[in-house]
Amino acid sequence: MDSTSPETTSGVLSTTHINPFEEMASRFDKAAELLGLDPGMRKVLREPIKELKVSIPVVMDDGRIEVFIGYRVHHSVVRGPAKGGIRFDAGVSLDEVRALASWMTWKCAVMNIPFGGGKGGVICDPRKLSRGELERITRRYTSEIMDLLGPEKDVPAPDVGTDSQTMAWLMDTYSMHVRHTVTSIVTGKPISIGGSRGRVEATGRGVMLAGREAARVHGLPLEGARVVVQGFGNVGSISAKMFASQGSRIIAVSDVNGAIQNPDGLDVAALFTYMQKSRTVVGFPGSTPLDPAQLLTTECDILVPAALENQITHENADQIRTKIIVEGANGPTTAAADEILQKMGVVVIPDIYANGGGVTVSYFEWVQDRMGFFWREDEVNQRLEELMVQSFADVREMAEARNVSYRIAAYMVAIQRVANDLQLRGLYA
Ligand code: NAD
């Protein structure tokens, strides 16, 4: 339900009352209805197939024992192993993980890669934990969800609050349990231990390619386009860098600590250097502070929400002043906001396509690990571009044929693919 959304000082809305799984399900229902999906098939594909809640006892640096709660959810394994990231965040909930797992199913299907959907999360604030504490949480969490994991069963990746180091610990823990090194158990690893070239940049590169395809179709040159980015982590920062490489002007960005702007365009390369020292965009020389609450409503050509879900709601959608929204984050726009944006003529390039570059290169990483043969970065980037261009064409064709938004078209493309494969496999009884 999309109801009152108090804002935090960071400008990211506090929306714990909006259930992300219901947000996903409302789009699923609409797309399934339009496809005329068999009611039984609809029941099978709507709900996650497996949900695990684990308790993670950890000895903290001060000697205290703390217990963290973690989840791993499989939404579907019809088209291949469950694939999806692990989130470390104070706001993690089972409904959030269920939504994220479902989006992974639809995302992998839109990108036409042979994976199902899964997701995991641990309720914790990684900014308040030491490296040692994070490592112990990761290893114990991995061992608790071990039965679900496997290169043919469930292949995690980084998400909010986790990174390549987290994936290295996860791979090592799994490998110690099975008594040999299994690189293909996880993607988003450091390159020297089986990671793929281009993986760190893949989601942001894909966001730019999605934006480029949409901008081309809707007659907006990327050269000189004004871009606003919410969130300056992996996805947000690389998206900003990629749009800047196309000649776009990055006029405002934010992170959990605040927002900054420069109407002439921020120097993104210098901002990366500044971030390495300061760990925040706030205070970047060559920018002025911006009220974080104003970031999403800043006038621009392309808006990239790349932080968390439920940021564009019925409360602020009518104040959005952009031509195209490219969803770097998962679930940043509520269903109620979608309707308002559609009436306003704002083009929304949906998460399950727009941020699919990450999982696509994760697929390439898994393939390379299994082959034991690693590709050049230009090969990775070229294959990624081919799939981003093809998937946009698939989604656009559906949108035009059925006169629906890109969001509903993307769900329709995905559901059709998964339902077709389930039909072929049949139900085991
Ligand atoms: P990240 O942890 O690297 O960065 C998250 C960014 O959001 C940071 O700048 C952080 O400061 C900001 N942020 C987090 N909580 C916030 C809050 N409460 N208020 C304001 N800002 C906040 O995470 P990421 O990997 O860049 O993921 C961002 C989004 O993209 C998520 O929705 C994630 O699911 C999605 N996504 C990530 C990938 C990937 O490959 N990493 C792939 C597809 C989708």
Side-chain angles (χ1 to χ4, degrees):
M1 205 183 79
D2 191 3
S3 56
T4 330
S5 317
E7 279 178 8
T8 65
T9 48
S10 66
V12 166
L13 299 171
S14 161
T15 49
T16 43
H17 53 290
I18 300 177
N19 182 326
F21 184 76
E22 293 304 327
E23 291 295 317
M24 184 290 302
S26 73
R27 274 73 170 250
F28 171 85
D29 288 339
K30 194 167 175 181
E33 191 69 41
L34 285 165
L35 285 170
L37 194 68
D38 169 78
M41 192 68 95
R42 200 158 150 173
K43 278 189 221 162
V44 178
L45 295 183
R46 196 177 191 272
E47 300 292 324
I49 56 162
K50 208 170 275 184
E51 301 181 348
L52 179 63
K53 176 184 174 189
V54 295
S55 130
I56 308 159
V58 171
V59 179
M60 308 300 280
D61 290 350
D62 62 8
R64 251 175 338 111
I65 293 176
E66 195 60 75
V67 178
F68 297 89
I69 298 298
Y71 304 99
R72 187 74 188 165
V73 171
H74 289 180
H75 172 261
S76 169
V77 292
V78 169
R79 285 169 54 90
K83 186 81 191 81
I86 291 173
R87 179 173 291 194
F88 282 5
D89 188 75
V92 164
S93 67
L94 180 56
D95 273 323
E96 183 186 62
V97 180
R98 297 171 88 216
L100 289 162
S102 315
W103 283 320
M104 287 309 297
T105 302
W106 310 131
K107 191 179 303 180
C108 293
V110 170
M111 297 310 300
N112 217 353
I113 56 179
F115 285 140
K119 204 82 179 193
V122 176
I123 306 173
C124 67
D125 184 348
R127 287 168 304 161
K128 294 189 180 142
L129 296 164
S130 70
R131 184 183 161 91
E133 289 166 342
L134 284 169
E135 177 171 355
R136 292 195 288 282
I137 291 174
T138 304
R139 288 188 182 277
R140 182 62 187 251
Y141 169 69
T142 305
S143 118
E144 293 296 339
I145 65 167
M146 185 84 186
D147 291 345
L148 295 191
L149 301 180
E152 299 285 356
K153 289 161 72 180
D154 178 346
V155 186
D159 191 73
V160 173
T162 57
D163 58 15
S164 59
Q165 177 61 71
T166 326
M167 299 305 114
W169 292 326
L170 196 156
M171 183 196 91
D172 185 69
T173 308
Y174 182 90
S175 299
M176 289 295 145
H177 275 263
V178 299
R179 320 299 289 171
H180 64 105
T181 296
V182 186
T183 52
S184 56
I185 180 56
V186 73
T187 60
K189 300 177 290 296
I191 290 175
S192 62
I193 52 169
S196 175
R197 292 183 176 82
R199 174 61 185 92
V200 169
E201 297 81 12
T203 311
R205 180 179 295 277
V207 166
M208 181 278 286
L209 291 169
R212 186 194 73 186
E213 291 305 287
R216 182 177 52 76
V217 166
H218 294 276
L220 174 74
L222 280 193
E223 174 90 45
R226 295 160 304 165
V227 178
V228 168
V229 182
Q230 183 198 40
F232 210 72
N234 174 273
V235 180
S237 67
I238 305 289
S239 299
K241 185 171 150 183
M242 294 289 164
F243 277 112
S245 76
Q246 301 298 303
S248 306
R249 262 186 298 152
I250 313 304
I251 59 166
V253 302
S254 70
D255 65 18
V256 70
N257 302 299
I260 57 167
Q261 64 180 338
N262 182 341
D264 297 327
L266 295 156
D267 179 341
V268 179
L271 182 53
F272 266 76
T273 310
Y274 176 78
M275 282 279 298
Q276 275 167 4
K277 275 199 319 283
S278 63
R279 304 255 146 233
T280 175
V281 298
V282 176
F284 173 58
S287 74
T288 52
L290 171 67
D291 176 356
Q294 310 287 316
L295 181 98
L296 291 173
T297 55
T298 301
E299 189 180 346
C300 60
D301 301 303
I302 297 177
L303 175 62
V304 182
L308 295 170
E309 53 270 18
N310 299 334
Q311 297 306 301
I312 303 174
T313 71
H314 77 294
E315 297 232 310
N316 59 1
D318 64 348
Q319 296 151 46
I320 300 280
R321 290 178 296 159
T322 191
K323 299 187 177 89
I324 301 177
I325 296 175
V326 188
E327 294 186 330
N330 287 305
T333 311
T334 65
D338 265 350
E339 285 183 22
I340 298 169
L341 293 167
Q342 200 169 2
K343 283 194 193 116
M344 288 162 61
V346 176
V347 174
V348 179
I349 305 303
D351 46 8
I352 60 170
Y353 160 67
N355 67 42
V359 75
T360 301
V361 175
S362 276
Y363 165 53
F364 298 160
E365 180 173 332
W366 181 77
V367 168
Q368 292 171 76
D369 286 338
R370 287 153 58 97
M371 287 196 297
F373 178 71
F374 291 86
W375 309 347
R376 292 190 317 269
E377 186 166 349
D378 63 305
E379 292 177 284
V380 172
N381 292 344
Q382 191 199 327
R383 286 178 205 256
L384 169 63
E385 180 162 355
E386 279 166 16
L387 288 192
M388 291 302 301
V389 169
Q390 182 58 52
S391 298
F392 183 78
D394 296 344
V395 171
R396 185 177 171 216
E397 189 182 317
M398 180 67 88
E400 286 179 355
R402 303 299 299 266
N403 195 22
V404 292
S405 66
Y406 286 125
R407 167 127 33 227
I408 296 302
Y411 272 83
M412 289 172 77
V413 167
I415 293 170
Q416 211 167 41
R417 286 181 180 154
V418 182
N420 177 63
D421 292 353
L422 179 57
Q423 189 74 46
L424 287 168
R425 289 181 63 157
L427 285 187
Y428 179 72

